[in-house]
mmCIF file of all heavy atoms in Angstrom:
data_model
loop_
_atom_site.group_PDB
_atom_site.id
_atom_site.type_symbol
_atom_site.label_atom_id
_atom_site.label_comp_id
_atom_site.label_asym_id
_atom_site.label_seq_id
_atom_site.Cartn_x
_atom_site.Cartn_y
_atom_site.Cartn_z
ATOM 1 N N TRP A 59 -27.744 -136.471 88.762
ATOM 2 C CA TRP A 59 -28.477 -137.666 88.126
ATOM 3 C C TRP A 59 -29.753 -136.988 87.456
ATOM 4 O O TRP A 59 -29.980 -137.294 86.285
ATOM 5 C CB TRP A 59 -28.876 -138.722 89.261
ATOM 6 C CG TRP A 59 -29.551 -139.764 88.549
ATOM 7 C CD1 TRP A 59 -30.815 -139.892 88.258
ATOM 8 C CD2 TRP A 59 -28.923 -140.941 88.096
ATOM 9 N NE1 TRP A 59 -31.023 -141.094 87.591
ATOM 10 C CE2 TRP A 59 -29.888 -141.817 87.525
ATOM 11 C CE3 TRP A 59 -27.645 -141.501 88.164
ATOM 12 C CZ2 TRP A 59 -29.615 -143.114 87.040
ATOM 13 C CZ3 TRP A 59 -27.401 -142.746 87.722
ATOM 14 C CH2 TRP A 59 -28.323 -143.528 87.191
ATOM 15 N N ILE A 62 -28.751 -134.719 84.453
ATOM 16 C CA ILE A 62 -27.925 -135.245 83.267
ATOM 17 C C ILE A 62 -28.265 -136.741 82.952
ATOM 18 O O ILE A 62 -28.755 -136.929 81.859
ATOM 19 C CB ILE A 62 -26.382 -135.168 83.570
ATOM 20 C CG1 ILE A 62 -26.018 -133.659 83.882
ATOM 21 C CG2 ILE A 62 -25.588 -135.612 82.459
ATOM 22 C CD1 ILE A 62 -24.637 -133.452 84.471
ATOM 23 N N CYS A 63 -28.162 -137.562 83.923
ATOM 24 C CA CYS A 63 -28.308 -138.962 83.558
ATOM 25 C C CYS A 63 -29.782 -139.331 83.408
ATOM 26 O O CYS A 63 -30.182 -140.286 82.745
ATOM 27 C CB CYS A 63 -27.839 -139.857 84.790
ATOM 28 S SG CYS A 63 -26.204 -139.179 85.421
ATOM 29 N N GLU A 65 -32.005 -137.926 81.983
ATOM 30 C CA GLU A 65 -32.472 -137.697 80.554
ATOM 31 C C GLU A 65 -32.723 -139.081 79.856
ATOM 32 O O GLU A 65 -33.600 -139.272 79.124
ATOM 33 C CB GLU A 65 -31.446 -136.836 79.743
ATOM 34 C CG GLU A 65 -31.877 -136.302 78.527
ATOM 35 C CD GLU A 65 -30.647 -135.761 77.676
ATOM 36 O OE1 GLU A 65 -29.915 -134.967 78.311
ATOM 37 O OE2 GLU A 65 -30.565 -136.025 76.524
ATOM 38 N N CYS A 66 -31.956 -140.011 80.168
ATOM 39 C CA CYS A 66 -31.943 -141.346 79.564
ATOM 40 C C CYS A 66 -32.223 -142.594 80.544
ATOM 41 O O CYS A 66 -32.669 -143.556 80.069
ATOM 42 C CB CYS A 66 -30.664 -141.736 78.765
ATOM 43 S SG CYS A 66 -30.209 -140.446 77.644
ATOM 44 N N HIS A 67 -31.949 -142.337 81.872
ATOM 45 C CA HIS A 67 -32.079 -143.334 82.786
ATOM 46 C C HIS A 67 -33.070 -143.069 83.847
ATOM 47 O O HIS A 67 -33.252 -141.888 84.215
ATOM 48 C CB HIS A 67 -30.817 -143.671 83.581
ATOM 49 C CG HIS A 67 -29.659 -144.141 82.534
ATOM 50 N ND1 HIS A 67 -29.679 -145.372 82.047
ATOM 51 C CD2 HIS A 67 -28.597 -143.450 82.228
ATOM 52 C CE1 HIS A 67 -28.505 -145.596 81.392
ATOM 53 N NE2 HIS A 67 -27.846 -144.475 81.459
ATOM 54 N N GLU A 71 -33.451 -148.127 87.693
ATOM 55 C CA GLU A 71 -32.721 -149.079 86.802
ATOM 56 C C GLU A 71 -31.476 -149.696 87.377
ATOM 57 O O GLU A 71 -31.044 -150.925 87.001
ATOM 58 C CB GLU A 71 -32.254 -148.181 85.527
ATOM 59 C CG GLU A 71 -32.024 -148.884 84.215
ATOM 60 C CD GLU A 71 -31.679 -147.829 83.143
ATOM 61 O OE1 GLU A 71 -32.189 -146.755 83.133
ATOM 62 O OE2 GLU A 71 -30.861 -148.259 82.289
ATOM 63 N N PHE A 72 -30.798 -149.023 88.210
ATOM 64 C CA PHE A 72 -29.442 -149.556 88.778
ATOM 65 C C PHE A 72 -29.614 -149.960 90.205
ATOM 66 O O PHE A 72 -28.705 -149.860 90.926
ATOM 67 C CB PHE A 72 -28.408 -148.461 88.560
ATOM 68 C CG PHE A 72 -28.227 -148.107 87.071
ATOM 69 C CD1 PHE A 72 -28.345 -146.748 86.792
ATOM 70 C CD2 PHE A 72 -27.894 -149.116 86.206
ATOM 71 C CE1 PHE A 72 -28.185 -146.478 85.309
ATOM 72 C CE2 PHE A 72 -27.731 -148.743 84.800
ATOM 73 C CZ PHE A 72 -27.861 -147.367 84.485
ATOM 74 N N TYR A 77 -29.401 -155.438 88.821
ATOM 75 C CA TYR A 77 -28.193 -154.678 88.199
ATOM 76 C C TYR A 77 -27.004 -154.875 89.031
ATOM 77 O O TYR A 77 -25.896 -155.320 88.476
ATOM 78 C CB TYR A 77 -28.554 -153.214 88.048
ATOM 79 C CG TYR A 77 -27.352 -152.563 87.439
ATOM 80 C CD1 TYR A 77 -27.063 -152.769 86.034
ATOM 81 C CD2 TYR A 77 -26.497 -151.853 88.120
ATOM 82 C CE1 TYR A 77 -25.919 -152.258 85.435
ATOM 83 C CE2 TYR A 77 -25.327 -151.216 87.635
ATOM 84 C CZ TYR A 77 -25.001 -151.343 86.162
ATOM 85 O OH TYR A 77 -23.972 -150.823 85.659
ATOM 86 N N TRP A 81 -22.246 -156.765 89.281
ATOM 87 C CA TRP A 81 -20.866 -156.306 89.609
ATOM 88 C C TRP A 81 -20.279 -156.910 90.914
ATOM 89 O O TRP A 81 -19.436 -156.431 91.435
ATOM 90 C CB TRP A 81 -21.115 -154.812 89.945
ATOM 91 C CG TRP A 81 -21.359 -153.896 88.679
ATOM 92 C CD1 TRP A 81 -22.553 -153.544 88.207
ATOM 93 C CD2 TRP A 81 -20.383 -153.442 87.798
ATOM 94 N NE1 TRP A 81 -22.388 -152.801 87.081
ATOM 95 C CE2 TRP A 81 -21.011 -152.661 86.752
ATOM 96 C CE3 TRP A 81 -18.934 -153.391 87.797
ATOM 97 C CZ2 TRP A 81 -20.431 -152.071 85.778
ATOM 98 C CZ3 TRP A 81 -18.274 -152.812 86.614
ATOM 99 C CH2 TRP A 81 -19.017 -152.143 85.749
ATOM 100 N N LEU A 89 -16.609 -149.829 87.874
ATOM 101 C CA LEU A 89 -17.864 -149.094 87.665
ATOM 102 C C LEU A 89 -17.586 -147.647 87.338
ATOM 103 O O LEU A 89 -18.109 -146.972 86.288
ATOM 104 C CB LEU A 89 -18.808 -149.184 88.891
ATOM 105 C CG LEU A 89 -20.171 -148.602 88.676
ATOM 106 C CD1 LEU A 89 -21.020 -149.055 87.499
ATOM 107 C CD2 LEU A 89 -20.964 -148.690 90.016
ATOM 108 N N LEU A 92 -16.007 -147.383 83.924
ATOM 109 C CA LEU A 92 -17.062 -147.569 82.813
ATOM 110 C C LEU A 92 -17.847 -146.265 82.608
ATOM 111 O O LEU A 92 -18.082 -145.760 81.517
ATOM 112 C CB LEU A 92 -17.995 -148.674 83.227
ATOM 113 C CG LEU A 92 -19.172 -148.883 82.195
ATOM 114 C CD1 LEU A 92 -18.687 -149.905 81.032
ATOM 115 C CD2 LEU A 92 -20.359 -149.437 82.773
ATOM 116 N N ILE A 93 -18.291 -145.824 83.700
ATOM 117 C CA ILE A 93 -19.201 -144.521 83.663
ATOM 118 C C ILE A 93 -18.460 -143.262 83.250
ATOM 119 O O ILE A 93 -18.835 -142.608 82.395
ATOM 120 C CB ILE A 93 -19.749 -144.318 85.068
ATOM 121 C CG1 ILE A 93 -20.846 -145.392 85.401
ATOM 122 C CG2 ILE A 93 -20.665 -142.934 84.989
ATOM 123 C CD1 ILE A 93 -21.510 -145.330 86.735
ATOM 124 N N MET A 97 -20.299 -142.537 79.816
ATOM 125 C CA MET A 97 -21.425 -141.763 80.182
ATOM 126 C C MET A 97 -21.120 -140.203 80.409
ATOM 127 O O MET A 97 -20.078 -139.941 80.935
ATOM 128 C CB MET A 97 -22.114 -142.423 81.366
ATOM 129 C CG MET A 97 -22.626 -143.778 81.179
ATOM 130 S SD MET A 97 -24.097 -143.733 79.963
ATOM 131 C CE MET A 97 -23.687 -145.112 78.913
ATOM 132 N N PRO A 98 -22.074 -139.383 80.190
ATOM 133 C CA PRO A 98 -23.381 -139.605 79.457
ATOM 134 C C PRO A 98 -23.196 -140.121 78.087
ATOM 135 O O PRO A 98 -22.212 -139.497 77.447
ATOM 136 C CB PRO A 98 -24.186 -138.210 79.628
ATOM 137 C CG PRO A 98 -23.189 -137.283 80.269
ATOM 138 C CD PRO A 98 -21.911 -137.961 80.604
ATOM 139 N N GLU A 99 -23.925 -140.863 77.560
ATOM 140 C CA GLU A 99 -23.762 -141.445 76.307
ATOM 141 C C GLU A 99 -23.538 -140.430 75.125
ATOM 142 O O GLU A 99 -22.851 -140.617 74.210
ATOM 143 C CB GLU A 99 -24.899 -142.421 75.869
ATOM 144 C CG GLU A 99 -24.393 -143.484 74.960
ATOM 145 C CD GLU A 99 -25.591 -144.032 74.076
ATOM 146 O OE1 GLU A 99 -26.735 -143.289 74.024
ATOM 147 O OE2 GLU A 99 -25.489 -145.163 73.593
ATOM 148 N N ASP A 100 -24.293 -139.275 75.313
ATOM 149 C CA ASP A 100 -24.200 -138.231 74.298
ATOM 150 C C ASP A 100 -23.072 -137.238 74.582
ATOM 151 O O ASP A 100 -22.833 -136.351 73.737
ATOM 152 C CB ASP A 100 -25.592 -137.496 74.218
ATOM 153 C CG ASP A 100 -26.045 -136.952 75.593
ATOM 154 O OD1 ASP A 100 -25.335 -137.229 76.577
ATOM 155 O OD2 ASP A 100 -27.054 -136.358 75.614
ATOM 156 N N LEU A 105 -18.258 -134.899 82.682
ATOM 157 C CA LEU A 105 -18.324 -134.486 84.179
ATOM 158 C C LEU A 105 -16.871 -134.517 84.833
ATOM 159 O O LEU A 105 -16.092 -135.267 84.318
ATOM 160 C CB LEU A 105 -19.345 -135.503 84.951
ATOM 161 C CG LEU A 105 -20.817 -135.304 84.891
ATOM 162 C CD1 LEU A 105 -21.351 -135.524 83.410
ATOM 163 C CD2 LEU A 105 -21.469 -136.173 85.773
ATOM 164 N N TYR A 110 -18.652 -137.697 88.960
ATOM 165 C CA TYR A 110 -18.884 -139.105 88.750
ATOM 166 C C TYR A 110 -18.997 -139.791 90.003
ATOM 167 O O TYR A 110 -19.849 -140.725 90.225
ATOM 168 C CB TYR A 110 -17.845 -139.620 87.853
ATOM 169 C CG TYR A 110 -18.040 -139.266 86.321
ATOM 170 C CD1 TYR A 110 -17.152 -138.494 85.760
ATOM 171 C CD2 TYR A 110 -19.160 -139.736 85.558
ATOM 172 C CE1 TYR A 110 -17.232 -138.165 84.348
ATOM 173 C CE2 TYR A 110 -19.267 -139.428 84.278
ATOM 174 C CZ TYR A 110 -18.300 -138.660 83.607
ATOM 175 O OH TYR A 110 -18.532 -138.400 82.336
ATOM 176 N N VAL A 113 -22.175 -139.153 91.588
ATOM 177 C CA VAL A 113 -23.299 -139.897 91.005
ATOM 178 C C VAL A 113 -23.333 -141.369 91.656
ATOM 179 O O VAL A 113 -24.369 -141.944 91.805
ATOM 180 C CB VAL A 113 -23.148 -139.890 89.487
ATOM 181 C CG1 VAL A 113 -24.166 -140.972 88.895
ATOM 182 C CG2 VAL A 113 -23.683 -138.444 89.001
HETATM 183 C C1 HEC B 18 -28.054 -139.723 76.070
HETATM 184 C C2 HEC B 18 -28.453 -140.769 76.846
HETATM 185 C C3 HEC B 18 -27.753 -141.192 78.145
HETATM 186 C C4 HEC B 18 -27.309 -140.370 79.196
HETATM 187 C C5 HEC B 18 -27.467 -138.868 79.309
HETATM 188 C C6 HEC B 18 -26.724 -141.164 80.116
HETATM 189 N N1 HEC B 18 -26.761 -142.505 79.727
HETATM 190 FE FE1 HEC B 18 -26.014 -144.113 80.722
HETATM 191 N N2 HEC B 18 -26.567 -145.376 79.242
HETATM 192 C C7 HEC B 18 -27.146 -144.983 78.033
HETATM 193 C C8 HEC B 18 -27.383 -146.143 77.168
HETATM 194 C C9 HEC B 18 -28.095 -146.169 75.840
HETATM 195 C C10 HEC B 18 -26.874 -147.170 78.009
HETATM 196 C C11 HEC B 18 -26.704 -148.668 77.468
HETATM 197 C C12 HEC B 18 -28.053 -149.308 77.675
HETATM 198 C C13 HEC B 18 -28.437 -149.380 79.186
HETATM 199 O O1 HEC B 18 -27.769 -150.150 79.884
HETATM 200 O O2 HEC B 18 -29.415 -148.771 79.577
HETATM 201 C C14 HEC B 18 -26.425 -146.712 79.167
HETATM 202 C C15 HEC B 18 -25.877 -147.505 80.213
HETATM 203 C C16 HEC B 18 -25.428 -146.991 81.442
HETATM 204 C C17 HEC B 18 -25.001 -147.846 82.539
HETATM 205 C C18 HEC B 18 -24.949 -149.437 82.439
HETATM 206 C C19 HEC B 18 -23.575 -149.783 82.060
HETATM 207 C C20 HEC B 18 -23.368 -151.317 82.169
HETATM 208 O O3 HEC B 18 -22.973 -151.922 81.137
HETATM 209 O O4 HEC B 18 -23.582 -151.803 83.308
HETATM 210 C C21 HEC B 18 -24.683 -147.140 83.537
HETATM 211 C C22 HEC B 18 -24.212 -147.439 85.024
HETATM 212 C C23 HEC B 18 -24.960 -145.709 83.160
HETATM 213 N N3 HEC B 18 -25.451 -145.784 81.802
HETATM 214 C C24 HEC B 18 -24.777 -144.631 83.983
HETATM 215 C C25 HEC B 18 -25.083 -143.253 83.557
HETATM 216 C C26 HEC B 18 -24.666 -142.213 84.410
HETATM 217 C C27 HEC B 18 -24.130 -142.275 85.759
HETATM 218 C C28 HEC B 18 -25.060 -141.104 83.622
HETATM 219 C C29 HEC B 18 -25.053 -139.616 83.942
HETATM 220 C C30 HEC B 18 -23.679 -139.183 84.268
HETATM 221 C C31 HEC B 18 -25.673 -141.532 82.317
HETATM 222 N N4 HEC B 18 -25.517 -142.967 82.328
HETATM 223 C C32 HEC B 18 -26.135 -140.741 81.342
HETATM 224 C C33 HEC B 18 -27.561 -143.712 77.722
HETATM 225 C C34 HEC B 18 -27.371 -142.529 78.475
#
Side-chain angles (χ1 to χ4, degrees):
W59 185 279
I62 301 165
C63 321
E65 192 188 314
C66 303
H67 295 289
E71 198 181 327
F72 302 121
Y77 181 73
W81 290 94
L89 180 60
L92 178 89
I93 295 177
M97 294 291 139
E99 206 204 19
D100 52 354
L105 279 67
Y110 284 112
V113 165

